[in-house]
Amino acid sequence: EVQLVESGGGLVQPGGSLRLSCAASGFTFSSFEMNWVRQAPGKGLEWVAYISASGSSIYYADSVKGRFIISRDNTKNSLYLQMNSLRVEDTAVYYCATESGYDRFEYWGHGTLVPVSS
Amino acid sequence: AIQMTQSPSSLSASVGDRVTITCRASQDIRTDLSWYQQKPGKAPKLLVYDASRLQSGVPSRFTGSGSGTDFTLTISSLQPEDFATYYCLQDYSFPRTFGQGTRLEIK
């Protein structure tokens, strides 16, 4: 069974940093592209970042470029999102999602909440 | 960035109704579009990919169509479990962009 489990969320002050993790199991993690998607309270989905299976290609939403870093460790079946210079508007539930054939976001984690507030 | 305009933003319907949600891209995205269903407090669920391919396990009452800039998701006969929020997503280019969502409510 495919499982994606996010962790690392929690209250952080504006300007602070946080590192999210996504632990993958039940599939060959190293073969899958991965994404982070977020959802602010009561709002729609926003794509945040993408990383290729090998980690050689990375893309970011303009809203997080220069502040967030996506990475992966295929030996640990894990995806990460280092979030720096956090802003109130970064408050959201953060989901990790696989990207497979036809670029579909097939599997999603349950999400981890990141409130940014003083 | 490609903009995805989804309509309507909300919709009231009854069990058994046929409903259609549309998504318009700001430029040609071929068939690089997928549809997701999200229920409150839950992660999104993939319904349709490549504009019209039904994800395994998704009921056949869900149908996706379109190419280029105009896309639709149709639910042929609404079931109680279909009341949720629906999103389109373009995967033609980066940054990926979602539609703003359509909230489907019980009439």
mmCIF file with all atom_site columns, all heavy atoms in Angstrom, chain A residues 22-45:
data_model
loop_
_atom_site.group_PDB
_atom_site.id
_atom_site.type_symbol
_atom_site.label_atom_id
_atom_site.label_alt_id
_atom_site.label_comp_id
_atom_site.label_asym_id
_atom_site.label_entity_id
_atom_site.label_seq_id
_atom_site.pdbx_PDB_ins_code
_atom_site.Cartn_x
_atom_site.Cartn_y
_atom_site.Cartn_z
_atom_site.occupancy
_atom_site.B_iso_or_equiv
_atom_site.pdbx_formal_charge
_atom_site.auth_seq_id
_atom_site.auth_comp_id
_atom_site.auth_asym_id
_atom_site.auth_atom_id
_atom_site.pdbx_PDB_model_num
ATOM 1   N N   . CYS A 1 22 ? 8.516   14.218 4.195   1.00 0.00 ? 22 CYS A N   1
ATOM 2   C CA  . CYS A 1 22 ? 7.479   13.342 3.653   1.00 0.00 ? 22 CYS A CA  1
ATOM 3   C C   . CYS A 1 22 ? 8.104   11.965 3.516   1.00 0.00 ? 22 CYS A C   1
ATOM 4   O O   . CYS A 1 22 ? 9.001   11.763 2.691   1.00 0.00 ? 22 CYS A O   1
ATOM 5   C CB  . CYS A 1 22 ? 6.993   13.869 2.314   1.00 0.00 ? 22 CYS A CB  1
ATOM 6   S SG  . CYS A 1 22 ? 5.906   12.756 1.383   1.00 0.00 ? 22 CYS A SG  1
ATOM 7   N N   . ALA A 1 23 ? 7.650   11.027 4.342   1.00 0.00 ? 23 ALA A N   1
ATOM 8   C CA  . ALA A 1 23 ? 8.176   9.666  4.316   1.00 0.00 ? 23 ALA A CA  1
ATOM 9   C C   . ALA A 1 23 ? 7.322   8.812  3.402   1.00 0.00 ? 23 ALA A C   1
ATOM 10  O O   . ALA A 1 23 ? 6.100   8.752  3.574   1.00 0.00 ? 23 ALA A O   1
ATOM 11  C CB  . ALA A 1 23 ? 8.189   9.098  5.721   1.00 0.00 ? 23 ALA A CB  1
ATOM 12  N N   . ALA A 1 24 ? 7.965   8.168  2.451   1.00 0.00 ? 24 ALA A N   1
ATOM 13  C CA  . ALA A 1 24 ? 7.253   7.374  1.450   1.00 0.00 ? 24 ALA A CA  1
ATOM 14  C C   . ALA A 1 24 ? 7.463   5.884  1.685   1.00 0.00 ? 24 ALA A C   1
ATOM 15  O O   . ALA A 1 24 ? 8.551   5.454  2.103   1.00 0.00 ? 24 ALA A O   1
ATOM 16  C CB  . ALA A 1 24 ? 7.739   7.742  0.053   1.00 0.00 ? 24 ALA A CB  1
ATOM 17  N N   . SER A 1 25 ? 6.434   5.105  1.421   1.00 0.00 ? 25 SER A N   1
ATOM 18  C CA  . SER A 1 25 ? 6.538   3.656  1.513   1.00 0.00 ? 25 SER A CA  1
ATOM 19  C C   . SER A 1 25 ? 5.520   3.018  0.586   1.00 0.00 ? 25 SER A C   1
ATOM 20  O O   . SER A 1 25 ? 4.559   3.663  0.160   1.00 0.00 ? 25 SER A O   1
ATOM 21  C CB  . SER A 1 25 ? 6.315   3.190  2.954   1.00 0.00 ? 25 SER A CB  1
ATOM 22  O OG  . SER A 1 25 ? 5.026   3.562  3.395   1.00 0.00 ? 25 SER A OG  1
ATOM 23  N N   . GLY A 1 26 ? 5.771   1.751  0.243   1.00 0.00 ? 26 GLY A N   1
ATOM 24  C CA  . GLY A 1 26 ? 4.820   1.014  -0.579  1.00 0.00 ? 26 GLY A CA  1
ATOM 25  C C   . GLY A 1 26 ? 5.018   1.165  -2.073  1.00 0.00 ? 26 GLY A C   1
ATOM 26  O O   . GLY A 1 26 ? 4.219   0.641  -2.855  1.00 0.00 ? 26 GLY A O   1
ATOM 27  N N   . PHE A 1 27 ? 6.073   1.893  -2.475  1.00 0.00 ? 27 PHE A N   1
ATOM 28  C CA  . PHE A 1 27 ? 6.362   2.043  -3.894  1.00 0.00 ? 27 PHE A CA  1
ATOM 29  C C   . PHE A 1 27 ? 7.842   2.393  -4.036  1.00 0.00 ? 27 PHE A C   1
ATOM 30  O O   . PHE A 1 27 ? 8.524   2.699  -3.056  1.00 0.00 ? 27 PHE A O   1
ATOM 31  C CB  . PHE A 1 27 ? 5.486   3.115  -4.546  1.00 0.00 ? 27 PHE A CB  1
ATOM 32  C CG  . PHE A 1 27 ? 5.704   4.523  -4.032  1.00 0.00 ? 27 PHE A CG  1
ATOM 33  C CD1 . PHE A 1 27 ? 6.426   5.448  -4.772  1.00 0.00 ? 27 PHE A CD1 1
ATOM 34  C CD2 . PHE A 1 27 ? 5.183   4.922  -2.803  1.00 0.00 ? 27 PHE A CD2 1
ATOM 35  C CE1 . PHE A 1 27 ? 6.621   6.747  -4.305  1.00 0.00 ? 27 PHE A CE1 1
ATOM 36  C CE2 . PHE A 1 27 ? 5.379   6.209  -2.328  1.00 0.00 ? 27 PHE A CE2 1
ATOM 37  C CZ  . PHE A 1 27 ? 6.099   7.126  -3.072  1.00 0.00 ? 27 PHE A CZ  1
ATOM 38  N N   . THR A 1 28 ? 8.325   2.349  -5.260  1.00 0.00 ? 28 THR A N   1
ATOM 39  C CA  . THR A 1 28 ? 9.735   2.629  -5.523  1.00 0.00 ? 28 THR A CA  1
ATOM 40  C C   . THR A 1 28 ? 9.923   4.144  -5.598  1.00 0.00 ? 28 THR A C   1
ATOM 41  O O   . THR A 1 28 ? 9.815   4.757  -6.665  1.00 0.00 ? 28 THR A O   1
ATOM 42  C CB  . THR A 1 28 ? 10.197  1.954  -6.825  1.00 0.00 ? 28 THR A CB  1
ATOM 43  O OG1 . THR A 1 28 ? 9.887   0.569  -6.776  1.00 0.00 ? 28 THR A OG1 1
ATOM 44  C CG2 . THR A 1 28 ? 11.699  2.149  -7.015  1.00 0.00 ? 28 THR A CG2 1
ATOM 45  N N   . PHE A 1 29 ? 10.200  4.732  -4.454  1.00 0.00 ? 29 PHE A N   1
ATOM 46  C CA  . PHE A 1 29 ? 10.273  6.188  -4.321  1.00 0.00 ? 29 PHE A CA  1
ATOM 47  C C   . PHE A 1 29 ? 11.233  6.809  -5.333  1.00 0.00 ? 29 PHE A C   1
ATOM 48  O O   . PHE A 1 29 ? 10.936  7.844  -5.927  1.00 0.00 ? 29 PHE A O   1
ATOM 49  C CB  . PHE A 1 29 ? 10.710  6.539  -2.894  1.00 0.00 ? 29 PHE A CB  1
ATOM 50  C CG  . PHE A 1 29 ? 10.848  8.010  -2.635  1.00 0.00 ? 29 PHE A CG  1
ATOM 51  C CD1 . PHE A 1 29 ? 9.734   8.818  -2.511  1.00 0.00 ? 29 PHE A CD1 1
ATOM 52  C CD2 . PHE A 1 29 ? 12.110  8.582  -2.480  1.00 0.00 ? 29 PHE A CD2 1
ATOM 53  C CE1 . PHE A 1 29 ? 9.862   10.180 -2.259  1.00 0.00 ? 29 PHE A CE1 1
ATOM 54  C CE2 . PHE A 1 29 ? 12.251  9.932  -2.225  1.00 0.00 ? 29 PHE A CE2 1
ATOM 55  C CZ  . PHE A 1 29 ? 11.116  10.741 -2.109  1.00 0.00 ? 29 PHE A CZ  1
ATOM 56  N N   . SER A 1 30 ? 12.351  6.172  -5.558  1.00 0.00 ? 30 SER A N   1
ATOM 57  C CA  . SER A 1 30 ? 13.389  6.746  -6.421  1.00 0.00 ? 30 SER A CA  1
ATOM 58  C C   . SER A 1 30 ? 12.970  6.851  -7.879  1.00 0.00 ? 30 SER A C   1
ATOM 59  O O   . SER A 1 30 ? 13.664  7.486  -8.678  1.00 0.00 ? 30 SER A O   1
ATOM 60  C CB  . SER A 1 30 ? 14.677  5.922  -6.311  1.00 0.00 ? 30 SER A CB  1
ATOM 61  O OG  . SER A 1 30 ? 14.428  4.578  -6.694  1.00 0.00 ? 30 SER A OG  1
ATOM 62  N N   . SER A 1 31 ? 11.839  6.237  -8.229  1.00 0.00 ? 31 SER A N   1
ATOM 63  C CA  . SER A 1 31 ? 11.355  6.279  -9.615  1.00 0.00 ? 31 SER A CA  1
ATOM 64  C C   . SER A 1 31 ? 10.312  7.363  -9.842  1.00 0.00 ? 31 SER A C   1
ATOM 65  O O   . SER A 1 31 ? 9.876   7.568  -10.977 1.00 0.00 ? 31 SER A O   1
ATOM 66  C CB  . SER A 1 31 ? 10.753  4.922  -10.012 1.00 0.00 ? 31 SER A CB  1
ATOM 67  O OG  . SER A 1 31 ? 11.727  3.909  -9.972  1.00 0.00 ? 31 SER A OG  1
ATOM 68  N N   . PHE A 1 32 ? 9.909   8.047  -8.777  1.00 0.00 ? 32 PHE A N   1
ATOM 69  C CA  . PHE A 1 32 ? 8.795   8.982  -8.882  1.00 0.00 ? 32 PHE A CA  1
ATOM 70  C C   . PHE A 1 32 ? 9.227   10.432 -8.701  1.00 0.00 ? 32 PHE A C   1
ATOM 71  O O   . PHE A 1 32 ? 9.998   10.756 -7.790  1.00 0.00 ? 32 PHE A O   1
ATOM 72  C CB  . PHE A 1 32 ? 7.723   8.655  -7.832  1.00 0.00 ? 32 PHE A CB  1
ATOM 73  C CG  . PHE A 1 32 ? 6.826   7.518  -8.218  1.00 0.00 ? 32 PHE A CG  1
ATOM 74  C CD1 . PHE A 1 32 ? 7.297   6.218  -8.187  1.00 0.00 ? 32 PHE A CD1 1
ATOM 75  C CD2 . PHE A 1 32 ? 5.528   7.744  -8.618  1.00 0.00 ? 32 PHE A CD2 1
ATOM 76  C CE1 . PHE A 1 32 ? 6.485   5.161  -8.545  1.00 0.00 ? 32 PHE A CE1 1
ATOM 77  C CE2 . PHE A 1 32 ? 4.699   6.707  -8.977  1.00 0.00 ? 32 PHE A CE2 1
ATOM 78  C CZ  . PHE A 1 32 ? 5.175   5.404  -8.933  1.00 0.00 ? 32 PHE A CZ  1
ATOM 79  N N   . GLU A 1 33 ? 8.689   11.293 -9.564  1.00 0.00 ? 33 GLU A N   1
ATOM 80  C CA  . GLU A 1 33 ? 8.783   12.724 -9.345  1.00 0.00 ? 33 GLU A CA  1
ATOM 81  C C   . GLU A 1 33 ? 7.880   13.068 -8.172  1.00 0.00 ? 33 GLU A C   1
ATOM 82  O O   . GLU A 1 33 ? 6.898   12.360 -7.912  1.00 0.00 ? 33 GLU A O   1
ATOM 83  C CB  . GLU A 1 33 ? 8.334   13.463 -10.601 1.00 0.00 ? 33 GLU A CB  1
ATOM 84  C CG  . GLU A 1 33 ? 9.159   13.106 -11.839 1.00 0.00 ? 33 GLU A CG  1
ATOM 85  C CD  . GLU A 1 33 ? 8.372   13.306 -13.123 1.00 0.00 ? 33 GLU A CD  1
ATOM 86  O OE1 . GLU A 1 33 ? 7.657   12.376 -13.544 1.00 0.00 ? 33 GLU A OE1 1
ATOM 87  O OE2 . GLU A 1 33 ? 8.479   14.410 -13.692 1.00 0.00 ? 33 GLU A OE2 1
ATOM 88  N N   . MET A 1 34 ? 8.206   14.158 -7.476  1.00 0.00 ? 34 MET A N   1
ATOM 89  C CA  . MET A 1 34 ? 7.451   14.525 -6.287  1.00 0.00 ? 34 MET A CA  1
ATOM 90  C C   . MET A 1 34 ? 7.134   16.012 -6.287  1.00 0.00 ? 34 MET A C   1
ATOM 91  O O   . MET A 1 34 ? 7.864   16.816 -6.869  1.00 0.00 ? 34 MET A O   1
ATOM 92  C CB  . MET A 1 34 ? 8.229   14.177 -5.023  1.00 0.00 ? 34 MET A CB  1
ATOM 93  C CG  . MET A 1 34 ? 8.498   12.693 -4.831  1.00 0.00 ? 34 MET A CG  1
ATOM 94  S SD  . MET A 1 34 ? 7.015   11.718 -4.549  1.00 0.00 ? 34 MET A SD  1
ATOM 95  C CE  . MET A 1 34 ? 6.409   12.392 -2.997  1.00 0.00 ? 34 MET A CE  1
ATOM 96  N N   . ASN A 1 35 ? 6.061   16.351 -5.603  1.00 0.00 ? 35 ASN A N   1
ATOM 97  C CA  . ASN A 1 35 ? 5.627   17.736 -5.487  1.00 0.00 ? 35 ASN A CA  1
ATOM 98  C C   . ASN A 1 35 ? 5.214   18.066 -4.056  1.00 0.00 ? 35 ASN A C   1
ATOM 99  O O   . ASN A 1 35 ? 4.826   17.175 -3.289  1.00 0.00 ? 35 ASN A O   1
ATOM 100 C CB  . ASN A 1 35 ? 4.406   17.993 -6.376  1.00 0.00 ? 35 ASN A CB  1
ATOM 101 C CG  . ASN A 1 35 ? 4.713   17.916 -7.842  1.00 0.00 ? 35 ASN A CG  1
ATOM 102 O OD1 . ASN A 1 35 ? 5.073   18.908 -8.466  1.00 0.00 ? 35 ASN A OD1 1
ATOM 103 N ND2 . ASN A 1 35 ? 4.592   16.723 -8.420  1.00 0.00 ? 35 ASN A ND2 1
ATOM 104 N N   . TRP A 1 36 ? 5.276   19.342 -3.738  1.00 0.00 ? 36 TRP A N   1
ATOM 105 C CA  . TRP A 1 36 ? 4.638   19.886 -2.550  1.00 0.00 ? 36 TRP A CA  1
ATOM 106 C C   . TRP A 1 36 ? 3.499   20.797 -3.027  1.00 0.00 ? 36 TRP A C   1
ATOM 107 O O   . TRP A 1 36 ? 3.684   21.604 -3.951  1.00 0.00 ? 36 TRP A O   1
ATOM 108 C CB  . TRP A 1 36 ? 5.606   20.685 -1.684  1.00 0.00 ? 36 TRP A CB  1
ATOM 109 C CG  . TRP A 1 36 ? 6.599   19.857 -0.932  1.00 0.00 ? 36 TRP A CG  1
ATOM 110 C CD1 . TRP A 1 36 ? 7.894   19.597 -1.268  1.00 0.00 ? 36 TRP A CD1 1
ATOM 111 C CD2 . TRP A 1 36 ? 6.358   19.173 0.312   1.00 0.00 ? 36 TRP A CD2 1
ATOM 112 N NE1 . TRP A 1 36 ? 8.479   18.794 -0.320  1.00 0.00 ? 36 TRP A NE1 1
ATOM 113 C CE2 . TRP A 1 36 ? 7.560   18.519 0.660   1.00 0.00 ? 36 TRP A CE2 1
ATOM 114 C CE3 . TRP A 1 36 ? 5.267   19.041 1.167   1.00 0.00 ? 36 TRP A CE3 1
ATOM 115 C CZ2 . TRP A 1 36 ? 7.702   17.747 1.830   1.00 0.00 ? 36 TRP A CZ2 1
ATOM 116 C CZ3 . TRP A 1 36 ? 5.406   18.283 2.316   1.00 0.00 ? 36 TRP A CZ3 1
ATOM 117 C CH2 . TRP A 1 36 ? 6.612   17.651 2.643   1.00 0.00 ? 36 TRP A CH2 1
ATOM 118 N N   . VAL A 1 37 ? 2.360   20.638 -2.389  1.00 0.00 ? 37 VAL A N   1
ATOM 119 C CA  . VAL A 1 37 ? 1.171   21.449 -2.670  1.00 0.00 ? 37 VAL A CA  1
ATOM 120 C C   . VAL A 1 37 ? 0.663   21.958 -1.329  1.00 0.00 ? 37 VAL A C   1
ATOM 121 O O   . VAL A 1 37 ? 0.694   21.222 -0.336  1.00 0.00 ? 37 VAL A O   1
ATOM 122 C CB  . VAL A 1 37 ? 0.080   20.596 -3.356  1.00 0.00 ? 37 VAL A CB  1
ATOM 123 C CG1 . VAL A 1 37 ? -1.214  21.402 -3.539  1.00 0.00 ? 37 VAL A CG1 1
ATOM 124 C CG2 . VAL A 1 37 ? 0.578   20.074 -4.711  1.00 0.00 ? 37 VAL A CG2 1
ATOM 125 N N   . ARG A 1 38 ? 0.192   23.190 -1.280  1.00 0.00 ? 38 ARG A N   1
ATOM 126 C CA  . ARG A 1 38 ? -0.309  23.715 -0.020  1.00 0.00 ? 38 ARG A CA  1
ATOM 127 C C   . ARG A 1 38 ? -1.720  24.261 -0.173  1.00 0.00 ? 38 ARG A C   1
ATOM 128 O O   . ARG A 1 38 ? -2.188  24.538 -1.276  1.00 0.00 ? 38 ARG A O   1
ATOM 129 C CB  . ARG A 1 38 ? 0.629   24.783 0.535   1.00 0.00 ? 38 ARG A CB  1
ATOM 130 C CG  . ARG A 1 38 ? 0.666   26.085 -0.256  1.00 0.00 ? 38 ARG A CG  1
ATOM 131 C CD  . ARG A 1 38 ? 1.699   27.029 0.357   1.00 0.00 ? 38 ARG A CD  1
ATOM 132 N NE  . ARG A 1 38 ? 1.767   28.299 -0.355  1.00 0.00 ? 38 ARG A NE  1
ATOM 133 C CZ  . ARG A 1 38 ? 2.615   29.284 -0.042  1.00 0.00 ? 38 ARG A CZ  1
ATOM 134 N NH1 . ARG A 1 38 ? 3.476   29.143 0.970   1.00 0.00 ? 38 ARG A NH1 1
ATOM 135 N NH2 . ARG A 1 38 ? 2.601   30.409 -0.739  1.00 0.00 ? 38 ARG A NH2 1
ATOM 136 N N   . GLN A 1 39 ? -2.357  24.416 0.984   1.00 0.00 ? 39 GLN A N   1
ATOM 137 C CA  . GLN A 1 39 ? -3.725  24.920 1.011   1.00 0.00 ? 39 GLN A CA  1
ATOM 138 C C   . GLN A 1 39 ? -3.901  25.787 2.252   1.00 0.00 ? 39 GLN A C   1
ATOM 139 O O   . GLN A 1 39 ? -3.888  25.279 3.378   1.00 0.00 ? 39 GLN A O   1
ATOM 140 C CB  . GLN A 1 39 ? -4.723  23.761 1.018   1.00 0.00 ? 39 GLN A CB  1
ATOM 141 C CG  . GLN A 1 39 ? -6.165  24.184 0.899   1.00 0.00 ? 39 GLN A CG  1
ATOM 142 C CD  . GLN A 1 39 ? -7.077  23.002 0.645   1.00 0.00 ? 39 GLN A CD  1
ATOM 143 O OE1 . GLN A 1 39 ? -6.881  21.916 1.177   1.00 0.00 ? 39 GLN A OE1 1
ATOM 144 N NE2 . GLN A 1 39 ? -8.083  23.199 -0.199  1.00 0.00 ? 39 GLN A NE2 1
ATOM 145 N N   . ALA A 1 40 ? -4.039  27.083 2.038   1.00 0.00 ? 40 ALA A N   1
ATOM 146 C CA  . ALA A 1 40 ? -4.296  28.000 3.139   1.00 0.00 ? 40 ALA A CA  1
ATOM 147 C C   . ALA A 1 40 ? -5.690  27.730 3.698   1.00 0.00 ? 40 ALA A C   1
ATOM 148 O O   . ALA A 1 40 ? -6.572  27.226 2.978   1.00 0.00 ? 40 ALA A O   1
ATOM 149 C CB  . ALA A 1 40 ? -4.178  29.443 2.655   1.00 0.00 ? 40 ALA A CB  1
ATOM 150 N N   . PRO A 1 41 ? -5.921  28.048 4.952   1.00 0.00 ? 41 PRO A N   1
ATOM 151 C CA  . PRO A 1 41 ? -7.224  27.772 5.573   1.00 0.00 ? 41 PRO A CA  1
ATOM 152 C C   . PRO A 1 41 ? -8.374  28.359 4.777   1.00 0.00 ? 41 PRO A C   1
ATOM 153 O O   . PRO A 1 41 ? -8.390  29.561 4.475   1.00 0.00 ? 41 PRO A O   1
ATOM 154 C CB  . PRO A 1 41 ? -7.095  28.434 6.950   1.00 0.00 ? 41 PRO A CB  1
ATOM 155 C CG  . PRO A 1 41 ? -5.637  28.451 7.233   1.00 0.00 ? 41 PRO A CG  1
ATOM 156 C CD  . PRO A 1 41 ? -4.968  28.650 5.910   1.00 0.00 ? 41 PRO A CD  1
ATOM 157 N N   . GLY A 1 42 ? -9.311  27.502 4.386   1.00 0.00 ? 42 GLY A N   1
ATOM 158 C CA  . GLY A 1 42 ? -10.487 27.952 3.654   1.00 0.00 ? 42 GLY A CA  1
ATOM 159 C C   . GLY A 1 42 ? -10.239 28.335 2.212   1.00 0.00 ? 42 GLY A C   1
ATOM 160 O O   . GLY A 1 42 ? -11.141 28.866 1.550   1.00 0.00 ? 42 GLY A O   1
ATOM 161 N N   . LYS A 1 43 ? -9.039  28.076 1.708   1.00 0.00 ? 43 LYS A N   1
ATOM 162 C CA  . LYS A 1 43 ? -8.688  28.484 0.345   1.00 0.00 ? 43 LYS A CA  1
ATOM 163 C C   . LYS A 1 43 ? -8.453  27.272 -0.551  1.00 0.00 ? 43 LYS A C   1
ATOM 164 O O   . LYS A 1 43 ? -8.581  26.125 -0.120  1.00 0.00 ? 43 LYS A O   1
ATOM 165 C CB  . LYS A 1 43 ? -7.423  29.355 0.376   1.00 0.00 ? 43 LYS A CB  1
ATOM 166 C CG  . LYS A 1 43 ? -7.562  30.609 1.228   1.00 0.00 ? 43 LYS A CG  1
ATOM 167 C CD  . LYS A 1 43 ? -8.626  31.545 0.712   1.00 0.00 ? 43 LYS A CD  1
ATOM 168 C CE  . LYS A 1 43 ? -8.674  32.825 1.525   1.00 0.00 ? 43 LYS A CE  1
ATOM 169 N NZ  . LYS A 1 43 ? -9.770  33.741 1.066   1.00 0.00 ? 43 LYS A NZ  1
ATOM 170 N N   . GLY A 1 44 ? -8.096  27.532 -1.797  1.00 0.00 ? 44 GLY A N   1
ATOM 171 C CA  . GLY A 1 44 ? -7.864  26.482 -2.761  1.00 0.00 ? 44 GLY A CA  1
ATOM 172 C C   . GLY A 1 44 ? -6.456  25.912 -2.703  1.00 0.00 ? 44 GLY A C   1
ATOM 173 O O   . GLY A 1 44 ? -5.631  26.307 -1.862  1.00 0.00 ? 44 GLY A O   1
ATOM 174 N N   . LEU A 1 45 ? -6.188  24.993 -3.609  1.00 0.00 ? 45 LEU A N   1
ATOM 175 C CA  . LEU A 1 45 ? -4.888  24.342 -3.666  1.00 0.00 ? 45 LEU A CA  1
ATOM 176 C C   . LEU A 1 45 ? -3.886  25.221 -4.410  1.00 0.00 ? 45 LEU A C   1
ATOM 177 O O   . LEU A 1 45 ? -4.225  25.859 -5.404  1.00 0.00 ? 45 LEU A O   1
ATOM 178 C CB  . LEU A 1 45 ? -5.017  22.997 -4.389  1.00 0.00 ? 45 LEU A CB  1
ATOM 179 C CG  . LEU A 1 45 ? -5.966  21.990 -3.760  1.00 0.00 ? 45 LEU A CG  1
ATOM 180 C CD1 . LEU A 1 45 ? -6.155  20.798 -4.677  1.00 0.00 ? 45 LEU A CD1 1
ATOM 181 C CD2 . LEU A 1 45 ? -5.446  21.548 -2.400  1.00 0.00 ? 45 LEU A CD2 1
#
